[in-house]
Amino acid sequence: MRQFGTRIQTETQTRAPAHVVTVRQADEGDLDFFVWAMITAATSHLSRSCWEVLFGAPAEVATEVLRALARSPRPHWCHLSRCRVAEVDGTPAGALTVFDPAAEGIDALAGEFAALTAAENGGPGAGAFPAFPGMPARQAVFASCAPGDYPGAWGIENVAVLPSFRGTGVVDALLGHALDLGRARGREHAQVMCLDGNVRAQRAWERNGFEVRADYRGRDFEALFGCRGLKLLVQAY
């Protein structure tokens, strides 16, 4: 696997066995690593990412769309400015996003996606991206199993750690940092969403104080995405 950017801007440090984990805000040099994290988090234990399924497009197209969304004008939960990167001894090892679900959640992302794919902005009508036929129907299936945001919660998403760094305290450092940011903003709860069946992720969330508050399942969702549904996990500060 290629090495990603290694610029260091210290915000939080925790010590894991034989490693120093440093968490910092992402910058432009982290774009490729961030896109990898988004795709990895949305793939989980499945054979292909939820982004590929939603777009009805191959992985390379989903990657380019996510790259564009990560740099869109308005921030949202898939925006580079909301990404935090964990480094182990100076090497990027994991990432997540932190955001305000009310202002930067799914509606903000949908708005930027619509602007990105509009013909006048270089979208499908102008050939920048292919058309995404059938996407509204696939979005509806996803939405049918998407729990609503927990009222007033601080959002955490796109959590991913490189396989070679799993078990070294990286995810705990990332979550601790994200929780501190929400606490500093006066939030009383934090939330994270998880694909049903992602046992490793759910155990990590629960180890860090989260508990399942909603568990939505559907046959159409399972037929399309390959798992039964989505879970919302919440932690009270």
Side-chain angles (χ1 to χ4, degrees):
M1 177 172 289
R2 57 164 294 187
Q3 294 293 316
F4 296 92
T6 58
R7 291 180 59 191
I8 301 175
Q9 180 179 345
T10 302
E11 291 183 357
T12 302
Q13 281 196 348
T14 59
R15 186 167 293 276
H19 296 284
V20 173
V21 182
T22 302
V23 181
R24 59 170 175 80
Q25 182 166 339
D27 59 29
E28 189 68 21
D30 298 305
L31 180 60
D32 288 345
F33 188 68
F34 177 43
V35 172
W36 168 84
M38 288 194 285
I39 291 173
T40 299
T43 303
S44 179
H45 58 300
L46 307 178
S47 60
R48 57 179 181 157
S49 79
C50 292
W51 297 112
E52 293 174 57
V53 178
L54 278 172
F55 297 146
E60 56 268 24
V61 173
T63 296
E64 289 308 308
V65 174
L66 290 174
R67 285 177 61 86
L69 285 170
R71 304 170 72 182
S72 62
R74 179 185 176 189
H76 46 76
W77 64 279
C78 291
H79 198 271
L80 183 61
S81 66
R82 298 302 179 259
C83 176
R84 299 297 186 271
V85 174
E87 294 180 331
V88 174
D89 300 332
T91 299
L96 54 64
T97 51
V98 288
F99 64 102
D100 177 2
E104 300 166 346
I106 191 62
D107 289 342
L109 176 63
E112 290 306 303
F113 178 79
L116 177 68
T117 56
E120 60 269 25
N121 290 327
F129 290 108
F132 299 107
M135 186 170 172
R138 294 189 294 273
Q139 287 176 309
V141 172
F142 187 89
S144 70
C145 287
D149 294 322
Y150 194 86
W154 181 240
I156 301 171
E157 284 296 343
N158 293 317
V159 186
V161 176
L162 286 169
S164 58
F165 289 104
R166 290 172 187 166
T168 63
V170 172
V171 72
D172 296 333
L174 282 166
L175 290 174
H177 177 83
L179 291 168
D180 286 345
L181 291 175
R183 187 179 294 108
R185 287 160 174 76
R187 302 304 174 96
E188 296 181 355
H189 296 83
Q191 68 173 44
V192 63
M193 195 162 64
C194 179
L195 288 165
D196 187 90
N198 189 349
V199 177
R200 178 189 291 271
Q202 185 172 336
R203 286 176 179 168
W205 311 154
E206 291 173 340
R207 185 177 68 245
N208 282 274
F210 288 83
E211 61 181 27
V212 176
R213 293 292 182 90
D215 186 352
Y216 287 24
R217 303 176 183 180
R219 292 181 179 177
D220 290 343
F221 188 99
E222 185 171 10
L224 183 60
F225 291 97
C227 69
R228 294 180 298 179
L230 297 161
K231 297 180 180 182
L232 184 74
L233 292 90
V234 175
Q235 177 180 154
Y237 286 122

